Amino acid sequence: MATLSAERRLITLQRSMLTCERCAALVRCRSRVVPGAGAIDAAVAFVGIAPGRFGGDRTGVPFSGDRSGNLLRDMIAAAGLRSVFITNLVRCNPRDAQGRNRDPTTAEITNCRGHLEAELALIRPKLVACLGRIVWSCLAGSRAEFDPTAAQVVQAGRWRLYPMYHPAYVNRGAYSLKKYARDFDRLRRAAAAMRDPGR
Ligand code: SF4
């Protein structure tokens, strides 16, 4: 019953995000608002930067339909992570003047922080896997070392944060697929060893 209630609250919460217009520049370039998606009782919540123009902005689902999404989902499946939630720092696709993906501004990330916090407060994951240095710095703080090869859990407020490379970093050859698969396996084991945060 409690799970059903959480599902309903998540649906209501995410419906309210669909009309958000806090970021004027993103309202102009986005195709849609892209809330997080996945299991309400997810053990791991993955947080990326923003929906991509060929991915979430087109499909409406974070990390789907593009190379980053395909790699992330392949790695999740290969590691046997069955219960995950996938979301982003911002829910709208940021583009530059040429229509290419750009990083969100600090103000845009701040504007969307409430949406992210609200999603995570309902999901209550054991671990929040931060995909890339930008996400890590935003959630763990700029002084926290970003080292996915050591992958130490950092407690930030109520969240246990876990550093991971962004799939785009791996797709461009900066990190090997073999090591990335190892990191996902380590993440699964770390989540399994974590106490449930008390859903
Ligand atoms: S990025 Fe977030 S805060 Fe900004 S307009 Fe989109 S949903 Fe609203």
Side-chain angles (χ1 to χ4, degrees):
M1 226 28 198
T3 301
L4 260 184
S5 167
E7 279 171 2
R8 284 202 195 102
R9 278 184 287 152
L10 183 64
I11 289 168
T12 303
L13 170 73
Q14 294 188 319
R15 261 191 207 135
S16 73
M17 296 176 189
L18 299 179
T19 52
C20 179
E21 296 189 340
R22 283 182 207 157
C23 309
L26 300 193
V27 170
R28 285 194 297 274
C29 64
R30 74 187 182 197
S31 301
R32 69 197 85 241
V33 177
V34 186
I40 190 73
D41 58 351
V44 178
F46 290 90
V47 181
I49 302 167
R53 65 178 173 145
F54 297 125
D57 189 59
R58 191 172 54 81
T59 64
V61 178
F63 284 92
S64 69
D66 61 4
R67 289 184 69 213
S68 286
N70 292 343
L71 179 56
L72 177 65
R73 288 169 188 276
D74 285 351
M75 287 288 156
I76 288 169
L81 275 163
R82 289 188 189 83
S83 173
V84 303
F85 187 81
I86 303 176
T87 190
N88 282 299
L89 287 177
V90 301
R91 274 139 201 74
C92 301
N93 172 230
R95 297 194 189 188
D96 64 17
Q98 283 72 45
R100 297 171 301 206
N101 286 334
R102 66 164 169 82
D103 289 336
T105 64
T106 303
E108 289 161 352
I109 292 170
T110 301
N111 288 345
C112 216
R113 179 71 181 235
H115 293 327
L116 174 63
E117 296 268 357
E119 284 179 341
L120 294 180
L122 281 175
I123 302 297
R124 301 176 68 88
K126 289 179 175 181
L127 287 174
V128 176
C130 301
L131 297 172
R133 189 181 298 275
I134 291 175
V135 179
W136 179 257
S137 294
C138 284
L139 300 187
S142 54
R143 289 189 182 170
E145 186 186 4
F146 177 68
D147 184 3
T149 62
Q152 289 198 331
V153 175
V154 167
Q155 185 85 38
R158 71 175 108 164
W159 311 123
R160 298 184 196 117
L161 306 178
Y162 192 95
M164 297 285 285
Y165 286 116
H166 193 284
Y169 184 75
V170 181
N171 275 333
R172 64 175 178 262
Y175 194 64
S176 79
L177 278 172
K178 190 174 172 189
K179 287 180 182 170
Y180 205 37
R182 177 205 60 192
D183 294 349
F184 273 79
D185 193 53
R186 187 163 50 194
L187 169 63
R188 179 188 51 74
R189 283 186 275 115
M194 286 281 164
R195 178 175 52 81
D196 196 299
R199 296 184 179 101

